[in-house]
Amino acid sequence: MSFATLGLSAPLLRAVDEQGYDTPTPVQIKAIPAILAGRDVMAAAQTGTGKTAGFTLPLLDRLMKGSSAQPNQARVLILAPTRELAIQVCDSVISYGRHLPLRAVVVYGGVKINPQMMKMRKGVDVLVATPGRLLDLYQQNAIRFKQLEMLVLDEADRMLDLGFLPDIRKILALLPGKRQNLMFSATFSDEIRDLARGLLNNPVEISTSPRNTTAKTVRQWICPVDKKQKPALLLELLRVQRWGQVLVFTKTREGANKLTQFLTAEGVRATAIHGDKSQVARSKALADFRNGVVQILVATDVAARGLDIEQLPQVVNFDLPKVAEDYIHRIGRTGRAGASGEAVSLVSADEFPFLCSVEQLIGQVLPRKLIDGFEPVHDVPQSRTSQRPLKPKKPKKPKQGNSNVQTVARQRGNEGKRLQKTAAMKKTGAGKPGHNQPAKQENDQRERSAVSADGNQSPRRPAPPFGRTPGR
Ligand code: AMP
């Protein structure tokens, strides 16, 4: 199967060729013809499947046919949950559209709004936006949707996790009724399906990997260890396994900072990326990691979501994620587009409920490996997966308090309901309204707070010849 058979126009095929893509990925094979035919699409696709090109190439193709955007109008709106993802998607739009006379702009919170308002004046063919900033721009009369032809919701599950549903509903109410809608999500919870029902019109459903499964190309294993030993174990693994570049996930921003300081003190080149960092600092951290200036990028889930770091062989879960589905997103950073990768989770006894949730979600028990000198005093019990709900045992004598357990309530779907019933949940009262505030706060902060620096420059690709407005 070649791209030429999918019905794309010559300028797009040329751009694809210049990217070095020989064969379309499964999601591209299904999505591109459907979108070219004007159909609504609902696709279950993780990052790493080539989904961005899957929707960008055909939407650019369709844009070639219409009339250009009038002042303050957008013809395509792509909504993304985080500014990093928004920047990446816009970079892809610009890259794939380099031979087309189209204009793409990205807008997101955390930077001054005025330059973004100026960019909207000429009108844009493709507007990539985070929801909060888009609404701000609308309130300032900087953007109108009279000419809107197409809406894309990228990483819809993440948008809901971040509490964007009210913003999305507000945005939908502003759009013309006659438009093409595309929705991409790594997972399809009932909540996402509800949203899809109200949004999509007789959609083509695309599922390229079974629901909630992890990339087959990723070798996954866990390393049981006592909590306090985790930093030293990470160092040991870096040494013994001779890892090159590693993306390390921590549960909290404080944890990310502490681990980065520890690694740096041990002579390892490391940097952190999370919601407390300014846009400039985040872009620099990402650029330094991409360019190999640092070996280790320590990230929180929100900051790392959707980051496209090519050919990343190694992901480490320093902490297991609070939300089991984040495990899938995290390890989606490796083993991309057919490349092989490895994902290692350092699991302490108090994280056993999270381990159960992850194993239940991915439908497999993760292999374990004990590292000499790091055998845990506090055992991580063996879990099992089955179709029946798991009853996680309480961890044996966890050293630390059970503060981690509070966050279990953020588990979604059946898994979340099941875990909410556990004794641990009762104890903490998690699962009550507002339990997902931390994620929302991190996002709100990114979306609303102004930082003095512009920070608009994407670190990744050199400025392409078309479309990108100065300072983007
Ligand atoms: P995405 O799933 O959109 O985040 O894309 C993941 C990675 O796959 C990106 O680095 C793309 O450049 C790359 N990619 C997309 N389509 C293809 C393709 N057909 N062949 C090889 N790599 C691709």
Side-chain angles (χ1 to χ4, degrees), residues 1-13 24 28-29 32-37 57-58 61-62 64-65:
M1 170 73 76
S2 76
F3 276 97
T5 59
L6 296 177
L8 293 166
S9 315
L12 291 163
L13 291 176
Q28 291 164 356
I29 290 169
I32 291 173
I35 299 170
L36 286 176
L57 290 166
D61 201 302
R62 283 180 69 76
M64 286 165 66
K65 284 150 201 156

Side-chain angles (χ1 to χ4, degrees), residues 3 19-25 28 46-53 96 306 308 310 336-337 460-461:
F3 276 97
Q19 288 286 322
Y21 305 163
D22 303 329
T23 323
T25 65
Q28 291 164 356
Q46 299 166 217
T47 45
T49 54
K51 70 180 167 67
T52 315
Y96 300 135
D308 180 15
E310 282 170 53
R336 322 194 102 198
R460 184 155 174 245
R461 294 185 178 108

Side-chain angles (χ1 to χ4, degrees), residues 188-311:
F188 272 85
S189 61
D190 294 342
E191 214 181 0
I192 291 281
R193 287 183 183 278
D194 267 1
L195 177 65
R197 261 191 294 277
L199 174 72
L200 305 172
N201 196 353
N202 187 24
V204 173
E205 292 199 23
I206 295 172
S207 174
T208 48
S209 57
R211 209 173 153 182
N212 292 340
T213 56
T214 46
K216 286 203 179 68
T217 48
V218 183
R219 195 162 72 86
Q220 304 165 64
W221 50 282
I222 68 165
C223 200
V225 62
D226 286 335
K227 205 173 195 67
K228 281 192 180 151
Q229 292 296 319
K230 283 188 179 186
L233 173 60
L234 179 60
L235 259 190
E236 176 75 0
L237 287 170
L238 283 171
R239 198 176 57 77
V240 173
Q241 307 273 332
R242 294 168 188 234
W243 287 335
Q245 287 209 296
V246 186
L247 180 59
V248 178
F249 285 95
T250 60
K251 200 170 43 185
T252 63
R253 305 167 204 178
E254 299 72 38
N257 285 339
K258 250 173 96 176
L259 182 61
T260 306
Q261 280 160 14
F262 169 81
L263 291 170
T264 308
E266 293 291 334
V268 179
R269 288 169 289 119
T271 189
I273 186 166
H274 55 66
D276 275 348
K277 300 246 173 189
S278 70
Q279 177 58 29
V280 172
R282 288 158 66 145
S283 298
K284 181 171 183 326
L286 196 56
D288 283 350
F289 188 60
R290 281 188 172 135
N291 301 334
V293 175
V294 295
Q295 183 191 359
I296 314 286
L297 182 65
V298 185
T300 57
D301 286 295
V302 171
R305 173 71 185 194
L307 293 183
D308 180 15
I309 301 162
E310 282 170 53
Q311 295 169 341

Side-chain angles (χ1 to χ4, degrees), residues 13 36 76 89 104 139 148 157-158 181 260-261 371 419:
L13 291 176
L36 286 176
V76 170
V89 170
Q139 274 150 17
L148 195 93
D157 52 344
R158 195 58 172 184
N181 301 289
T260 306
Q261 280 160 14
I371 303 295
L419 282 164

